[in-house]
Amino acid sequence: MEVNKYRSKALLLSFLSTAIVLSACSGSNGSADTGQGKASKAETGSNAISDAKGTNAEPLGKYDPPIEVSFIRNLSDVVENNVLGVLKGETFEDNRWTRLYKDQLGINIKNKWVVKGNDTSEQYLQKLNVTLASGDLPDVITVNATQLKQLADSGQIEDMTALYQQYASPLTKEILSQEGSSPFDAATIDGKLMAIPQVDSSLERAMFIWIRTDWLQKLGLQPPKTMADVQAISKTFAENDPDGNGKKDTFGLGATKDLWGGAMGLEGFMAGYKAYPRMWVADASGKLVYGGVQPEIKKALQALQTMFKNGELDQEFGIKDGGKVSEQIAAGKIGMEYGEQWNSIWPLQLNRNNDPKAQWRAYPIVSESGETPKVPLKFSTTKFFAVKKGVKHPEAVIKMFNLHLEKNFGKTAEFDKYYAPPEAESVWRPFSGTAGSRKEKRGGVPSH
């Protein structure tokens, strides 16, 4: 998806080199409690603690003799062209991470199959569905919540409850708990942890109003405190020639044909009217109802209709995706949009590239009354690493998690080598300008 073009680059080396991609958690509870408790062998049946010959019980212990762990993978164009193209002597199958797993853990990575394209491409999804239906699973498979339930119900995957408690390092437990217990709750079926969640931050998906402050200053406007202010700013941006070219060719608010999303989406606008179109919410009586059919939606849509009729929205926004709208932002034709914290990198930096005088700032979303609105946050953990039933070393995937996090943020971290190496600086440049400057520990691995 276009809005993810630059966000995803921050984890490209991880996509290239590991079968495990860990995402950041912004939470700060610091607890290592996954909600699973300390399961015993009796609680988890035959799959309690792996005691196979050659297993080193330490979280980063090496297998001797070495073992092989198979995965199924996708190779995106971005990784193939922008990463493999700058990392000399490294390939998708043989690179610094596969060598690290081999040298430090005694784990040889084998790709059962690789499909070119991203993990939402039709070709990848078709091949994944065939794999799931056939039962010919790799040792470790990445699945969504529905697929996880299906595999668990059919008895095709291992119970990881006790294994996680024994083999996960303190650092892994700390980082994977920073989103709270929800990711592990989502991976728990009938009281058993059936996969290791790929934890992603929900907090970082909060919406802001991004506004061109140079236009605010030029037109004598103040930042918004209410939705009426948002509408007034939008109207002024559309009608008072903020770019100074003598033409009525600017728009107050940018939006895409998809309506929702991390950039140029309308979730934040809707929340200003207490409307939550894509979420289940509690009504006045505490009953759970779908936000998309509540009365507040109508009021928000009426406000958008008025803005559309006034020419504050592009009359063709209904056929333009994020890429097309970002071109309008780059050209200096849009003065306001709703988006997540990374929008300063894309699409707003495109505007700055063309016009260094353009100034953008993120403001908190506002409500009709001026009171702080409830910010819509979606549960962001959507992928889970399940282990095929009967594999000799089901704990191996946990050790890979441990090493991945250790080499990025542990006591023996080599961040510049394993996260953003100098020779790949151009790939990460949109984020920082210099490789390795994103060393801050934001609850774990920097988010994408």
Side-chain angles (χ1 to χ4, degrees):
M1 190 173 172
E2 185 67 22
V3 295
N4 289 325
K5 181 170 67 172
Y6 289 103
R7 284 196 302 163
S8 61
K9 289 184 179 179
L11 282 180
L12 292 184
L13 188 60
S14 299
F15 277 109
L16 159 69
S17 56
T18 75
I20 299 174
V21 181
L22 304 176
S23 300
C25 305
S26 304
S28 57
N29 60 25
S31 170
D33 181 12
T34 66
Q36 303 305 312
K38 294 184 178 180
S40 66
K41 289 186 179 181
E43 291 172 321
T44 55
S46 60
N47 179 44
I49 302 297
S50 176
D51 57 0
K53 187 176 180 180
T55 300
N56 187 317
E58 294 298 318
L60 292 174
K62 185 175 182 178
Y63 292 98
D64 185 18
I67 66 171
E68 182 179 274
V69 179
S70 62
F71 295 82
I72 55 176
R73 306 284 298 281
N74 67 287
L75 174 58
S76 70
D77 291 339
V78 176
V79 172
E80 184 175 24
N81 298 326
N82 295 357
V83 179
L84 292 176
V86 297
L87 296 178
K88 296 180 179 179
E90 302 194 42
T91 67
F92 195 57
E93 292 77 18
D94 181 16
N95 53 72
R96 66 193 65 189
W97 272 101
T98 60
R99 296 165 195 164
L100 182 69
Y101 288 136
K102 179 179 180 179
D103 294 341
Q104 292 203 15
L105 294 180
I107 295 177
N108 293 308
I109 303 299
K110 176 185 177 182
N111 295 324
K112 200 173 181 72
W113 52 257
V114 178
V115 169
K116 288 193 176 183
N118 59 41
D119 60 2
T120 60
S121 68
E122 183 176 350
Q123 183 181 4
Y124 174 81
L125 293 175
Q126 286 180 348
K127 196 165 183 65
L128 174 61
N129 289 333
V130 170
T131 297
L132 293 174
S134 68
D136 185 21
L137 304 180
D139 296 331
V140 180
I141 186 169
T142 310
V143 293
N144 60 31
T146 300
Q147 293 163 340
L148 176 63
K149 183 68 163 59
Q150 293 170 342
L151 289 174
D153 288 347
S154 61
Q156 296 186 67
I157 55 177
E158 290 281 355
D159 171 7
M160 304 296 288
T161 312
L163 294 171
Y164 183 79
Q165 291 301 326
Q166 180 184 9
Y167 287 98
S169 67
L171 179 63
T172 295
K173 291 179 179 178
E174 175 193 352
I175 290 174
L176 296 193
S177 71
Q178 289 180 353
E179 180 74 355
S181 65
S182 297
F184 283 85
D185 292 341
T188 299
I189 300 172
D190 295 331
K192 299 177 182 179
L193 180 65
M194 300 307 298
I196 309 302
Q198 178 182 306
V199 178
D200 202 351
S201 171
S202 299
L203 182 62
E204 289 192 357
R205 298 184 67 179
M207 283 284 166
F208 296 88
I209 312 175
W210 291 88
I211 305 177
R212 279 199 63 166
T213 54
D214 56 320
W215 284 11
L216 285 178
Q217 294 170 3
K218 181 177 181 178
L219 300 175
L221 301 172
Q222 296 296 317
K225 295 182 179 180
T226 67
M227 288 305 297
D229 295 337
V230 171
Q231 293 179 354
I233 292 170
S234 175
K235 194 170 189 295
T236 304
F237 280 178
E239 295 180 351
N240 288 24
D241 192 25
D243 61 354
N245 68 353
K247 301 177 183 178
K248 189 177 179 180
D249 58 355
T250 54
F251 303 104
L253 181 65
T256 75
K257 67 181 179 66
D258 298 312
L259 299 181
W260 325 118
M264 300 158 282
L266 294 175
E267 290 96 332
F269 182 92
M270 292 281 181
Y273 293 93
K274 299 182 179 180
Y276 302 95
R278 305 180 71 202
M279 302 176 69
W280 288 84
V281 297
D283 64 11
S285 67
K287 181 181 177 182
L288 198 63
V289 295
Y290 186 60
V293 295
Q294 301 311 303
E296 292 82 2
I297 291 290
K298 184 176 181 180
K299 191 169 188 179
L301 290 175
Q302 287 174 334
L304 286 170
Q305 183 184 58
T306 298
M307 295 168 69
F308 181 80
K309 289 179 177 179
N310 290 343
E312 300 165 39
L313 278 69
D314 180 2
Q315 303 298 290
E316 297 181 346
F317 87 89
I319 60 171
K320 293 183 177 179
D321 61 15
K324 291 297 183 181
V325 181
S326 72
E327 292 175 4
Q328 293 178 295
I329 291 175
K333 298 304 178 184
I334 292 174
M336 183 165 52
E337 61 109 5
Y338 283 82
E340 297 176 16
Q341 42 81 23
W342 48 266
N343 278 210
S344 60
I345 305 302
W346 187 90
L348 306 182
Q349 184 62 40
L350 300 176
N351 186 204
R352 289 272 294 170
N353 292 344
N354 291 332
D355 180 7
K357 294 181 180 180
Q359 298 290 334
W360 289 85
R361 180 176 173 180
Y363 294 93
I365 65 174
V366 298
S367 67
E368 281 188 283
S369 65
E371 297 177 355
T372 302
K374 291 182 179 180
V375 179
L377 289 179
K378 281 200 165 187
F379 181 54
S380 295
T381 299
T382 59
K383 294 183 180 180
F384 306 88
F385 289 87
V387 178
K388 181 180 179 180
K389 186 77 171 180
V391 298
K392 188 174 182 180
H393 293 283
E395 76 288 338
V397 68
I398 301 172
K399 290 194 173 193
M400 294 177 69
F401 266 79
N402 295 340
L403 186 59
H404 181 94
L405 294 171
E406 173 63 27
K407 299 311 291 185
N408 278 293
F409 299 103
K411 293 180 180 179
T412 64
E414 297 177 71
F415 185 91
D416 291 344
K417 179 177 181 179
Y418 291 107
Y419 189 80
E423 62 267 34
E425 177 180 344
S426 62
V427 176
W428 286 268
R429 189 181 301 276
F431 282 89
S432 60
T434 56
S437 66
R438 285 175 55 85
K439 278 189 180 181
E440 72 275 17
K441 182 179 176 184
R442 302 173 63 232
V445 182
S447 66
H448 57 96

